[in-house]
Each structure stands twice: as structure tokens, then as C-alpha cells.
Amino acid sequence: MKFLAITLIANAPDPVTGRTTPARERFREVVEAALLAEELGFDGFGVGERHERPFLSSSPPVVLSHIAALTRRIRLFTAVTTLSLLDPVRAYEDYATLDHLADGRLELIIGKGNGTAQRELFRVTAEDQWERNTEGYELFRRLWREDRVTAAPRFRPALTGAEVLPRPPYGPPRIWHGSATSKESVELAARYGDPLFSANVTHPVEPYAALVRHYRQRWAHHGHDPALAAVGAGTAGYHAARTSQEAVAAYRPAFQGYLEAQRRLGVDPVFPTLEDFVERSSALIGSPQQVIEKVHRYHGQLGHTLLHLQAEAGPLGAKEHRASLELFQSEIAPVLRREIPDPPFPAGGARRVADVPPAAGAGSVPDL
């Protein structure tokens, strides 16, 4: 199993003080989180994409390019690239450039995205967003693989023998398809033999597990080797301590902030108490052994081999969050890496990380 630290660069007012962190400071926090993730041995660092409040993640390639300049080993992910909103040609140019600057460390998680405000910003409708996502991905995929492209898409101008630069340094990156509950994303991933990343955050595991089973069925339907299907999954929260009592007590203020935010939005929380959240959500809160057991329980449902954790401290505080991440890497990750091996990645798909030379002065790049 591999581990990804992720941020959506949320920047809402503090539920206690009402203070909103200045954007410049908030971006500095993200960069520091990426450096910590590399220091501690995480395999990847992911930046989301949102185009509405309370997020500052409107430009992942810019943020990831800055992180690329300061790191040497860690893989750089998007989480997710919202292709339903973007011109796939421009998205290709941005990410191919980033892949050069990052010495081939780029991986992409693409998805439709959500949120009415960002759809309105880009003049995308609820009715056409899935068509845009599919069309955008199919053209985006071709741009990574073909030196000149001719296409007549519906949602952007036609291309005739178009050369789009720069060409990728090591071939196309691995592209995951992010999905919550939509079969459209699953079908697109299965058709092209791409890995699936399940959101696995808002609800108990059952609907996500059903969608992953559907993905595996469609994967086989499209003629792919079942042993090569790869799945990643999110977590609703993370905090580990020496005992479960310590972990739950430390996480309680963060959960109260979550409840208050849900109430302000007029939303009934799916998990009304912290105890219910710890038991029925994908959150990993407890002792190292409890975290290991819960990951195994979810793996039994999802079969995932890539797992994301929250990259930043939030209400927990930087010192406590760092201690929790250190505990994860020292006592939890080694067990899960050993007990949940990664499936082989198809030779005809995206390049393997092992094929990418390390940056100057860097050590070996781990195979993801």
C-alpha cells in the first residue's frame, strides 16, 4: 500500500475565533505540509481543484510546480483535476510543463468536480457536465500520446494536425479517475483501463464499495486483466495516538468544528456524534493497531492499495498533527505496506515511477 497526503486548500473562518488566514500565509502552510510529507516518507502529495469558497485551490499546477522545485522524491498529484470545467488543450500544456519541472513525478486524478458556483463561473450546466468530462478526458488522453492531433470536439474549437507542446518527458502520466457515487466516472476509467480513486469520505463504506465492485465488473467487461485493476481511497479524517482515548480526545474539537459547519449550511450530519464518526466513517482515529485494523476492514470492501490522509493540521494544531503523522509512518505504514501489496501496473499504460531518473542529488525514486 502507498500513502498520499492531500489538501483542498480550504480557507474558511476559524469556528472559534472567526479569523480567516491570509491567502499568502495559507499557501505557505500548504508548501510546508508538502515538505513535511516528503520528509516523513509519504509517497505522494495531492492538491485539489476548486473554484469557489472556501477554497484557494483554483490553480493546482502553479502550486504543485512550486512544490516540485522544493522537493526531490515525492509524487505530485492533483485531487482532482476538474476536466469538465477546463479546456483539455490548456490543461495538457500546464501539466506537461509541470511534469518536466517535476522530473516525471506527476500523477493526475481527474473528475467532473462539483459545486454550483464553479459551474456557473465556467458556464457549465448540470446537464452537460458529464459530457464535458468525458470529451475533455478523451482529448486530454490523446494529447499525451499523439504528437499531432486532429479532433472535432463539441465543447472547444476543432483541432487539425495540432502540435501541442511541450511533449511529455517520460510518456503519459498515470491518470486516476476520481469518483464518489457516479457510475459515469467508473465507466470511463474501466473503458480505458485506468485506476479508480474512490472519495470514500462523506458516507459509510457501502455505497463506495458498491461502486468499486461495479468498476471491477466493467473493467473485466472491457477485456482488462482483473489482477491489474488499481483502486485508491480517501479517508474522512486521521489522528493516531498511543491510545484510542488520547486520539479521540484530541480529535473532538475538530469534529465539533465539522458539526458546526454542517449546521451553518443547514445540513444534517451523516455521523451525528464523534463516536459514530470513528466507528462508521472512513476516518482513522485511534491507536496504531486500531488504525491498521480499520484500513484492513475497508480494504476488505474496496481492495484499495493507495490511501490518502489529510495533509494539514487544521484544528488539531501543527505539533500534534506532526506527531500523529510521525506515528503513522513509524508504526502504521510499514505494516500496511507489508500486508497490502500493490498490484502490478500494466506495461502498456502510464510509465512506471521506476523508469523516471531521480533529480540531481536525490536518492532513488520509490515505485508507485
Side-chain angles (χ1 to χ4, degrees), residues 9-302:
I9 322 185
N11 199 36
D14 184 279
V16 177
T17 66
R19 176 182 180 269
T20 300
T21 303
R24 184 169 178 271
E25 182 180 336
R26 188 69 187 85
F27 284 121
R28 188 182 301 114
E29 292 173 349
V30 170
V31 173
E32 290 172 353
L35 295 176
L36 177 62
E38 176 163 88
E39 175 190 340
L40 295 180
F42 278 84
D43 302 286
F45 186 84
V47 174
E49 181 178 336
R50 295 286 197 281
H51 299 271
E52 59 187 334
R53 290 183 181 274
F55 304 100
L56 298 178
S57 50
S58 58
S59 187
V62 175
V63 177
L64 289 171
S65 290
H66 184 70
I67 292 170
L70 300 174
T71 58
R72 288 293 178 268
R73 179 198 61 81
I74 199 165
R75 301 288 287 166
L76 304 175
F77 281 72
T78 61
V80 301
T81 296
T82 52
L83 282 180
S84 65
L85 308 179
L86 306 177
D87 180 340
V89 173
R90 189 70 183 117
Y92 168 81
E93 292 173 333
D94 285 343
Y95 286 113
T97 301
L98 167 58
D99 204 25
H100 278 271
L101 295 172
D103 291 320
R105 289 183 283 143
L106 175 67
E107 298 222 11
L108 295 161
I109 306 175
I110 65 105
K112 170 187 66 66
N114 52 38
T116 301
Q118 63 180 11
R119 281 203 308 267
E120 292 176 350
L121 183 65
F122 288 90
R123 301 183 68 83
V124 172
T125 69
E127 290 72 31
D128 69 18
Q129 60 186 346
W130 280 113
E131 294 176 69
R132 287 176 179 271
N133 185 67
T134 299
E135 178 184 282
Y137 174 65
E138 290 174 341
L139 180 53
F140 187 67
R141 179 184 176 87
R142 290 184 61 192
L143 290 166
W144 286 100
R145 289 164 170 78
E146 300 176 28
D147 291 336
R148 293 188 178 273
V149 174
T150 296
R154 175 184 171 193
F155 297 106
R156 63 144 287 125
L159 302 174
T160 304
E163 181 182 34
V164 186
L165 302 174
R167 300 311 302 151
Y170 304 107
R174 180 157 49 168
I175 299 180
W176 303 70
H177 294 247
S179 178
T181 58
S182 302
K183 289 186 176 181
E184 289 88 344
S185 291
V186 165
E187 177 62 27
L188 196 61
R191 185 190 318 160
Y192 286 101
D194 294 330
L196 181 74
F197 203 101
S198 171
N200 190 41
V201 168
T202 309
H203 300 284
V205 69
E206 287 78 13
Y208 304 114
L211 206 65
V212 169
R213 288 193 297 272
H214 180 70
Y215 164 69
R216 295 184 188 279
Q217 291 166 1
R218 297 304 296 168
W219 174 279
H221 170 82
H222 288 290
H224 306 299
D225 183 348
L228 299 181
V231 175
T235 55
Y238 165 72
H239 186 67
R242 287 296 171 191
T243 69
S244 60
Q245 292 85 354
E246 291 177 85
V248 170
Y251 199 84
R252 194 171 295 279
F255 184 75
Q256 288 304 124
Y258 157 77
L259 287 182
E260 290 166 12
Q262 295 289 292
R263 292 189 186 104
R264 284 196 299 271
L265 294 172
V267 176
D268 291 329
V270 176
F271 310 103
T273 68
L274 177 56
E275 290 69 24
D276 187 42
F277 182 67
V278 170
E279 174 61 28
R280 292 197 306 123
S281 83
S282 61
L284 303 175
I285 301 167
S287 68
Q289 186 57 38
Q290 286 173 316
V291 170
I292 290 167
E293 289 172 359
K294 189 166 189 180
V295 172
H296 270 290
R297 176 152 51 94
Y298 267 71
H299 180 263
Q301 295 268 13
L302 303 174

